[in-house]
Amino acid sequence: MAAKWIEAITGPLEQKKQYRQDRARIEGLPEPYGTAAKAMHRYLLNTSGITDGDVIIRMLTDMADLWEAAAADGTPVRDIVGDDPVDFAETFAKAYAAKEWQDKERARFTRAIAEAEKEQRS
């Protein structure tokens, strides 16, 4: 009963548990994978624009899987992200199609321009 009440206020507790587990996996990576994964984690959270908690958790879990596999295989960091780490991270995030907070603003902007055009013609 208390868990449902808390989830109503804070969001799903299972997502928070999974987030902490993924974060611990990233923190436990050997260097330089830990530094690269932490940087990518921060970048994705700040720039992906994804607002669906389930999608964010899935993306971060997959990211932890990626960096753990790379560390286990000894794959060079640059071989993973390529020459443009920003492009790599943004392409990675786009694989998780979800509504973004910008979608609402894009729709609002498009409606405003259509209404302005309509008013100008009348």
Side-chain angles (χ1 to χ4, degrees):
M1 176 78 170
K4 287 190 182 258
W5 185 80
I6 292 169
E7 284 187 345
I9 295 172
T10 65
L13 296 175
E14 190 59 38
Q15 284 180 358
K16 292 173 181 14
K17 180 180 173 184
Q18 184 64 47
Y19 177 83
R20 284 191 294 271
Q21 288 173 347
D22 292 338
R23 187 74 187 161
R25 292 171 61 200
I26 291 169
E27 293 289 332
L29 288 168
E31 291 303 327
Y33 303 99
T35 297
K38 287 175 206 166
M40 186 172 170
H41 181 270
R42 177 181 168 80
Y43 187 80
L44 290 174
L45 287 181
N46 287 309
T47 64
S48 70
I50 298 172
T51 57
D52 184 326
D54 288 333
V55 174
I56 291 171
I57 295 301
R58 190 167 13 106
M59 179 176 66
L60 295 177
T61 298
D62 290 348
M63 191 198 83
D65 291 345
L66 169 77
W67 287 106
E68 282 180 341
D73 295 343
T75 306
V77 168
R78 187 59 75 179
D79 286 357
I80 298 165
V81 300
D83 292 333
D84 187 350
V86 170
D87 182 59
F88 174 78
E90 291 177 357
T91 300
F92 185 88
K94 285 180 183 168
Y96 298 88
K99 275 206 166 249
E100 299 175 358
W101 64 268
Q102 297 101 323
D103 294 338
K104 183 177 174 183
E105 291 305 317
R106 288 180 184 127
R108 182 180 294 168
F109 179 57
T110 301
R111 271 194 318 272
I113 295 300
E115 288 172 13
E117 179 183 33
K118 186 177 173 182
E119 186 176 307
Q120 192 174 36
R121 289 184 181 190
S122 59

